[in-house]
Amino acid sequence: MQVLESVELQQWLKKIEAIHPQEIELGLERISAIARSLNCLEFSCPVVSVAGTNGKGSCVELLSAFAQAHGLNVGLYTSPHLFRFNERIRINGIMVTDELLIECFQEIEKTIDGLSNPVSLSFFEYTTLATLLVFQKTALDLIILEVGLGGRLDAVNIVDADVSVISSIGLDHESWLGNTREQVAIEKAGIARSLRPVVIGDSNPPENLKPYLASIKAKAYFRNEHFFLEESAPSKLLFRFENPVVENETVLELESNKLLLSPENILTSLQAFALLCQKTSISMNASLLEQVCYQTDLIGRFQIVELVNKTDSTSTLERVIFDLTHNPAGAAFFRHQLADLEKQQGLGKVMAVFGVMKDKDIKGILAELDDVVDLWLLCTLDSERSTQSSELEKLIKQNSPDAKVLGFSNVEQAMAWALEADHGMTSLLVFGSFFTVGPSMMLMESKGLIKSF
């Protein structure tokens, strides 16, 4: 079983959660004041910030893996976490220790208490500052920061990135970012800096993005204009991207059926890494890049667990498919992946454990997947932002009155019901949130149905 945080770290995390009245409050004024006092805004190594509606998690993992393969020491910051808070802060893939985290929390608290006008930080702001302190206390060659929400007003944007990445632009968190792609694009482009590179992985960005980036004099690299993805042969893809180190284009040919992450995110990451190489004075090695592209995967991103050691031999359930999709664009890609799996080996009857936050476009998510699922197991998540299972049932029934639906008070109950009896189902989908996938995977591990993470 996963080792949880120490009691002392758990106490600190609870304390930080209780400091600020709002779970999410965008804006840089509060965190900037503390960051200046802590002197944690400048680093001796390059920094890359990655924003995006979908795909940013894949991009940061790929960039970290590319850099490590080339011998760089990499600090990586991501959010949220699946199992343990320490996952958010990693050095060369290894989670930060509880002791170093607590040391940084204490330093932040002392600094806040010493201000003439103390401010309260949100949980994400507090932990972002702790991350920056961890990275300052560590000898690093590269820092990779994943944007939590949006970009312009997100806590990580207090750091001036040497290279910025926007993986995709879609609708999510509309209450904070706006309800049009044009509004979202400007929010995400807030991480770009004048005279510094920004990589746009979206194949069809809103028309207002290019003039905005030009107005701030950012060096923009657009997909299908500066870097390209093409089919070269059956099951083979060409990745073409600009390489300023050699002042030429680099081409990498990969077998598509060996890739564990989406080719689009791999392409975006390759272009960003080529720009980072210019900042770090290393030369890209094609064989190392190929190796990373074939080996890098993400827990919870279309992760298939075949149930070969079932405790209930009478159950027809053959596989569980985890996916962290939580918006319509992600759900559409999830549907595409399921369709491919159906062609390859079949899905059979499908049930789904589904829990999602109430600020999400739930109707949009359901519109992509409601005809894929034969039985819905709806759950309320362990968060104040969770949609109640009863409300999810109402939304499903609005479009599909005959849909088969069961409601549960938490994820664990829904998963236990799905795993412990024969419901005539072949495949189980688990999706909607980190708060859905994480507890589900831990329950399966406790039952011996999945290896330790």
Side-chain angles (χ1 to χ4, degrees):
M1 197 66 172
Q2 275 283 324
V3 178
L4 298 177
E5 303 94 345
S6 65
V7 172
E8 187 177 2
L9 180 55
Q10 290 179 18
Q11 291 172 342
W12 264 102
L13 295 174
K14 289 180 180 179
K15 178 180 180 180
I16 295 168
E17 285 177 343
I19 289 174
H20 201 68
Q22 294 174 254
E23 185 177 355
I24 298 174
E25 183 177 354
L26 297 179
L28 303 181
E29 291 183 4
R30 296 178 310 279
I31 188 173
S32 294
I34 310 302
R36 285 192 293 270
S37 296
L38 289 166
N39 195 27
C40 63
L41 294 175
E42 301 291 335
F43 296 91
S44 59
C45 66
V47 177
V48 55
S49 294
V50 182
T53 306
N54 293 297
K56 60 184 176 181
S58 297
C59 288
V60 298
E61 292 290 343
L62 284 162
L63 285 171
S64 179
F66 288 152
Q68 289 179 66
H70 285 75
L72 300 184
N73 291 315
V74 182
L76 176 61
Y77 179 43
T78 63
S79 65
H81 60 275
L82 272 172
F83 314 112
R84 182 181 180 186
F85 177 85
N86 308 54
E87 298 168 31
R88 299 184 182 212
I89 309 169
R90 284 170 279 161
I91 308 296
N92 292 334
I94 300 174
M95 291 185 290
V96 64
T97 64
D98 290 5
E99 292 76 17
L100 182 53
L101 260 177
I102 292 169
E103 176 186 327
C104 293
F105 287 154
Q106 291 171 335
E107 193 171 335
I108 295 168
E109 182 180 61
K110 181 179 179 180
T111 300
I112 293 175
D113 290 343
L115 294 176
S116 56
N117 294 306
V119 298
S120 68
L121 299 176
S122 70
F123 182 84
F124 187 72
E125 290 170 335
Y126 211 110
T127 54
T128 297
L129 285 177
T131 301
L132 299 180
L133 287 176
V134 168
F135 290 163
Q136 280 201 337
K137 297 173 186 292
T138 310
L140 297 174
D141 303 307
L142 176 65
I143 291 171
I144 303 172
L145 305 174
E146 180 185 356
V147 172
L149 196 159
R152 181 175 65 93
L153 298 176
D154 187 82
V156 304
N157 201 34
I158 60 173
V159 178
D160 291 327
D162 296 279
V163 176
S164 303
V165 180
I166 302 174
S167 58
S168 67
I169 301 167
L171 296 181
D172 198 1
H173 302 291
E174 285 102 321
S175 299
W176 291 281
L177 306 181
N179 53 18
T180 69
R181 291 183 74 233
E182 287 73 18
Q183 291 174 308
V184 173
I186 299 305
E187 290 298 322
K188 295 191 182 301
I191 66 171
R193 295 295 190 267
S194 177
L195 305 179
R196 298 184 184 184
V198 55
V199 179
I200 312 300
D202 196 295
S203 61
N204 184 33
E207 292 183 0
N208 64 330
L209 182 59
K210 182 175 287 189
Y212 171 77
L213 293 174
S215 72
I216 65 171
K217 298 181 181 179
K219 296 180 180 179
Y221 290 76
F222 284 89
R223 182 179 165 191
N224 297 331
E225 186 174 336
H226 301 93
F227 55 105
F228 308 84
L229 180 63
E230 303 167 355
E231 282 193 30
S232 58
S235 299
K236 288 200 173 183
L237 294 171
L238 278 184
F239 296 78
R240 296 167 45 209
F241 51 97
E242 293 191 11
N243 185 350
V245 174
V246 296
E247 297 183 352
N248 204 342
E249 181 183 72
T250 294
V251 179
L252 196 66
E253 185 176 52
L254 300 173
E255 296 181 45
S256 58
N257 59 357
K258 289 185 179 181
L259 300 176
L260 302 176
L261 297 174
S262 80
E264 292 78 12
N265 292 328
I266 292 174
L267 174 67
T268 301
S269 302
L270 286 168
Q271 179 61 79
F273 184 66
L275 297 168
L276 285 168
C277 285
Q278 188 179 31
K279 304 286 184 179
T280 55
S281 300
I282 62 171
S283 299
M284 286 191 299
N285 182 306
S287 62
L288 290 177
L289 293 175
E290 180 177 330
Q291 184 179 7
V292 169
C293 290
Y294 288 148
Q295 293 180 350
T296 303
D297 200 359
L298 283 175
I299 295 177
R301 271 76 166 187
F302 202 71
Q303 183 173 352
I304 302 173
V305 177
E306 301 290 345
L307 300 181
V308 293
N309 296 318
K310 295 181 291 186
T311 56
D312 181 359
S313 61
T314 65
S315 174
T316 58
L317 190 63
E318 296 179 2
R319 69 184 65 85
V320 180
I321 304 172
F322 298 100
D323 198 87
L324 290 166
T325 183
H326 53 268
N327 54 50
F333 185 62
F334 187 29
R335 181 191 180 96
H336 171 73
Q337 291 174 301
L338 290 169
D340 284 345
L341 186 62
E342 170 69 37
K343 291 178 183 178
Q344 295 168 12
Q345 60 188 67
L347 287 172
K349 288 284 188 179
V350 177
M351 60 180 169
V353 169
F354 178 55
V356 66
M357 299 301 182
K358 57 189 174 186
D359 61 308
K360 301 299 180 181
D361 181 0
I362 301 172
K363 289 183 178 180
I365 296 171
L366 294 173
E368 296 290 345
L369 296 164
D370 60 356
D371 62 341
V372 175
V373 179
D374 299 293
L375 173 62
W376 290 94
L377 310 180
L378 308 174
C379 52
T380 303
L381 304 178
D382 184 19
S383 169
E384 292 182 357
R385 291 169 50 216
S386 174
T387 307
Q388 298 296 306
S389 58
S390 57
E391 182 61 26
L392 291 177
E393 181 173 355
K394 291 178 184 177
L395 293 172
I396 290 175
K397 291 287 189 178
Q398 284 177 5
N399 287 335
S400 305
D402 298 326
K404 295 180 180 179
V405 176
L406 292 174
F408 298 86
S409 59
N410 56 56
V411 175
E412 290 80 3
Q413 288 182 4
M415 283 297 295
W417 193 90
L419 295 170
E420 292 175 0
D422 183 11
H423 313 297
M425 300 287 161
T426 306
S427 299
L428 170 62
L429 312 182
V430 181
F431 69 99
S433 171
F434 278 75
F435 286 81
T436 314
V437 172
S440 298
M441 296 183 92
M442 294 189 76
L443 179 71
M444 288 191 65
E445 185 196 27
S446 69
K447 292 179 175 293
L449 298 173
I450 188 172
K451 66 181 181 180
S452 181
F453 321 110

